[in-house]
Amino acid sequence: MSPAPFVTHQMISYEIQKKLDYSCSSNYIILNSPVDLILSPSEVRHPDLVLIHRDRFDIISKRGIEGVPDLVVEILSPSSLKRDKIDKLKVYAEYQIPEYWIVDTENECLEQYTLQDNRYELINIFQEEKTITSTHIPCISFAMKDIMDKIPELRD
């Protein structure tokens, strides 16, 4: 069994979810882990956060998300680094998820990938007060500083 994510990971996920909920919940369904993202009978992933436009609500079932969401967010943990930056990057591109974010907790930044010719291209890295936006999801607008300022220092 894999270890649970660090508490900091969960706090960051919650803060991003709150920001997305505040600006996007009227148009998007926002789900957080644990949730099954069922891309095919043999390809099931568990992203940290997922956005699905309400017009595409039909891809959500009691079992999980059965289809391609609009955005997938992964928050790096020491145990997930390779899986999130290599394995999931390839799989999410293969299944044509339009946008993929990787949140690097150590560097307090968000890497934004968009699909270009069936591959992800890193189009931006957001740090500090730079406003995170998306051409695919226009309601998104927050900064990593807004997130990280709410995360307390925790003892080891």
Side-chain angles (χ1 to χ4, degrees):
M1 178 180 236
S2 297
F6 287 158
V7 172
T8 301
H9 175 283
Q10 295 304 93
M11 289 177 167
I12 291 169
S13 178
Y14 176 68
E15 292 300 330
I16 292 172
Q17 184 176 1
K18 284 191 328 187
K19 292 292 185 190
L20 293 172
D21 185 62
Y22 177 76
S23 61
C24 295
S25 64
S26 61
N27 293 316
Y28 290 86
I29 303 210
I30 303 148
L31 297 172
N32 65 322
S33 183
V35 64
D36 282 347
L37 174 56
I38 305 159
L39 298 168
S40 77
S42 62
E43 190 64 68
V44 179
R45 296 293 171 147
H46 303 101
D48 292 313
L49 292 164
V50 182
L51 265 74
I52 301 145
H53 197 280
R54 290 185 180 275
D55 289 347
R56 300 178 51 249
F57 186 80
D58 62 324
I59 70 169
I60 302 172
S61 70
K62 289 181 181 178
R63 195 170 153 221
I65 303 161
E66 299 188 55
V68 176
D70 296 281
L71 170 67
V72 173
V73 181
E74 296 289 359
I75 300 165
L76 296 180
S77 294
S79 64
S80 73
L81 185 66
K82 181 179 177 187
R83 184 173 58 245
D84 291 343
K85 293 199 87 152
I86 297 174
D87 301 339
K88 287 184 178 181
L89 189 88
K90 288 178 186 174
V91 168
Y92 293 158
E94 177 183 340
Y95 285 92
Q96 303 289 297
I97 297 172
E99 192 163 339
Y100 177 40
W101 293 356
I102 297 176
V103 178
D104 182 340
T105 58
E106 289 296 313
N107 293 306
E108 300 184 358
C109 68
L110 184 149
E111 298 175 4
Q112 182 182 43
Y113 296 84
T114 59
L115 211 51
Q116 311 280 331
D117 300 321
N118 300 321
R119 295 183 60 209
Y120 280 125
E121 183 176 320
L122 177 60
I123 61 163
N124 214 329
I125 298 174
F126 297 96
Q127 292 178 288
E128 296 291 326
E129 295 174 0
K130 186 171 182 189
T131 302
I132 298 164
T133 60
S134 167
T135 57
H136 295 100
I137 305 170
C139 58
I140 293 172
S141 180
F142 66 93
M144 281 304 292
K145 183 171 178 27
D146 300 333
I147 304 300
M148 300 312 294
D149 282 354
K150 295 194 175 172
I151 309 304
E153 288 289 324
L154 300 174
R155 63 180 172 76
D156 288 336

